[in-house]
Amino acid sequence: MNIVLIIGTIGMLILAIAIVGFVIFHQRKVFRFNTQLKQLEEEKQQILLNASIRFQEEERNRIAADLHDDAGPLLATARLYLNENLVNQEKAQQLQSIYSAKQIIDDAILLIRNISHSLMPPTLKNFGLESAITDLFQKISGSGSINASARFHDYRIRLKVEQELLVFRIVQELVNNVFKHSNAGFIHLTQNNSGNSMYFRLHHDGNGIVQADFEKLNHSALGLGLKNIASRIKVLKGRIFFEIDPSHTYYKVTVEVPMEGGIGN
């Protein structure tokens, strides 16, 4: 009887030790998994941050190049017409020099205005996102290269100005990708609200990508345009989904933007 009790006690101890060992091993495994997951998330955020920084640097370099290569020579030429010898010229020659300088300065003003518009489109600034996107799609359709249309179903409550600019840039990038890669015949954008979120859905009938492709490109050195989209989505605290219709007749990109808790909230 004592032997049986001793054997049973030893067996229970071994079982208890095995259970404790298993729990410790499992906890360590979960800890390592969570650590790896956190590391992957940090790497992903770093990729998005690097993409955003590269995009901003490219924008700055482009603006600097436009000002240096185009605006600079124009203003330098205008200065030549308005040099210190102007007062010694005959009346008619003075008027001609002043007129030529004025034309060049007008060209420089137009150039700088165009650069400014590329940073903040005037239609977006003055009339809001609905007008800016509608205007963009009308111009695309008017070019005759693709059938483009946009329809806002419920935009009574507007997003903040910063959010509108980010959404507009995302739509621009998506449209550019369709032009460059999809060979689509039509492109259509819709807007609607559901709950506390606003949804923008872009449909096209060309070649496209699905969510798995988007995630893969975001973790690679390729797809800078998609990384720019992802970084803007992060700032918006929104989400983006790439999918193909079950009939495989068109692709759809859905951008979800929270109407509460957005930028600055």
Side-chain angles (χ1 to χ4, degrees), residues 30 42 78 136 146 226:
V30 170
E42 289 175 352
L136 172 66
I146 189 172
L226 292 178

Side-chain angles (χ1 to χ4, degrees), residues 71-207:
L74 284 174
L75 295 175
T77 304
R79 185 175 63 182
L80 290 176
Y81 281 105
L82 301 175
N83 59 44
E84 60 274 10
N85 293 325
L86 183 66
V87 294
N88 299 322
Q89 295 175 357
E90 295 182 359
K91 184 79 171 180
Q93 191 175 0
Q94 284 181 341
L95 292 174
Q96 181 59 45
S97 296
I98 293 171
Y99 178 74
S100 298
K102 178 183 177 299
Q103 284 187 311
I104 293 171
I105 292 171
D106 286 342
D107 290 340
I109 291 171
L110 180 61
L111 173 65
I112 293 170
R113 183 183 293 120
N114 290 335
I115 294 173
S116 174
H117 287 176
S118 70
L119 298 176
M120 171 61 83
T123 306
L124 178 64
K125 180 180 179 181
N126 296 327
F127 303 106
L129 183 63
E130 180 176 1
S131 296
I133 288 182
T134 301
D135 182 59
L136 172 66
F137 275 69
Q138 285 176 346
K139 289 177 179 176
I140 293 171
S141 190
S143 69
S145 58
I146 189 172
N147 183 14
S149 59
R151 183 174 181 182
F152 280 59
H153 294 282
D154 187 8
Y155 202 61
R156 293 189 299 270
I157 301 176
R158 287 179 53 180
L159 297 170
K160 296 178 181 179
V161 174
E162 299 93 335
Q163 290 175 303
E164 286 195 333
L165 179 58
L166 286 168
V167 171
F168 185 75
R169 294 304 186 203
I170 289 170
V171 171
Q172 275 188 317
E173 191 71 52
L174 290 172
V175 169
N176 286 337
N177 285 341
V178 171
F179 283 159
K180 290 192 295 185
H181 306 297
S182 76
N183 195 30
F186 82 85
I187 182 170
H188 179 61
L189 181 137
T190 61
Q191 174 276 334
N192 70 286
N193 300 335
S194 180
N196 293 325
S197 295
M198 186 174 294
Y199 293 88
F200 301 87
R201 293 183 174 89
L202 188 72
H203 307 77
H204 69 88
D205 62 344
N207 302 315

